[in-house]
Amino acid sequence: MRILTTANHLDSAGGLERTHLTNAQGLARRGHRIDLVYVEEGAFAPSWREIATTMTQVPTTLPRRAHAVGSTRAVADAVRAARRLEPDIVYAYRYWDLPFAVAVAAGRPTAVVYHLCLPPQTGRA
């Protein structure tokens, strides 16, 4: 399968980014093609390069209120670039990547998968 995933920063701002990379590494080991659309380089870039067939850097995957027209144009360009990769699945690891994932998959036989990350339980109900 061709799996497209997105990342804002290729670095650790917490455990989310490391877990995203670990999950993608597992998918790659199972023979899936991994394509990455990302915004900023970081310490995890070499690890992503080891597993990703393509890495496409884009200015943003979210429109910004302060720069509505320019950022919306940049998101549209990023969606077009991602669609050219013809993924079977768009794997959204963060909830704010869902609009981008849905736009990439729209009108295609492409599934959108969202990885629900919940905090650990803190007690018994």
Side-chain angles (χ1 to χ4, degrees):
M1 292 227 144
R2 296 176 71 152
I3 301 172
L4 172 73
T5 193
T6 62
N8 196 29
H9 303 286
L10 302 184
D11 207 342
S12 182
L16 188 71
E17 295 81 7
R18 181 174 305 281
T19 305
H20 183 197
L21 173 59
T22 300
N23 291 346
Q25 288 167 327
L27 291 166
R29 275 194 304 275
R30 288 169 180 78
H32 299 287
R33 174 189 165 134
I34 305 297
D35 293 308
L36 176 67
V37 172
Y38 69 100
V39 177
E40 291 183 11
E41 287 270 339
F44 292 167
S47 296
W48 277 105
R49 283 189 187 91
E50 290 176 7
I51 63 165
T53 302
T54 65
M55 291 177 58
T56 305
Q57 188 171 14
V58 297
T60 188
T61 58
L62 290 170
R64 305 285 184 219
R65 195 174 290 163
H67 305 283
V69 174
S71 65
T72 300
R73 188 175 302 120
V75 171
D77 291 344
V79 167
R80 279 192 290 281
R83 288 173 66 91
R84 281 193 293 273
L85 297 169
E86 298 182 356
D88 298 308
I89 296 171
V90 181
Y91 176 30
Y93 199 77
R94 305 169 311 158
Y95 70 87
W96 51 85
D97 289 330
L98 281 170
F100 181 80
V102 169
V104 171
R108 294 176 169 230
T110 302
V112 173
V113 175
Y114 171 59
H115 191 118
L116 181 60
C117 302
L118 296 174
Q121 276 188 323
T122 57
R124 294 198 156 164

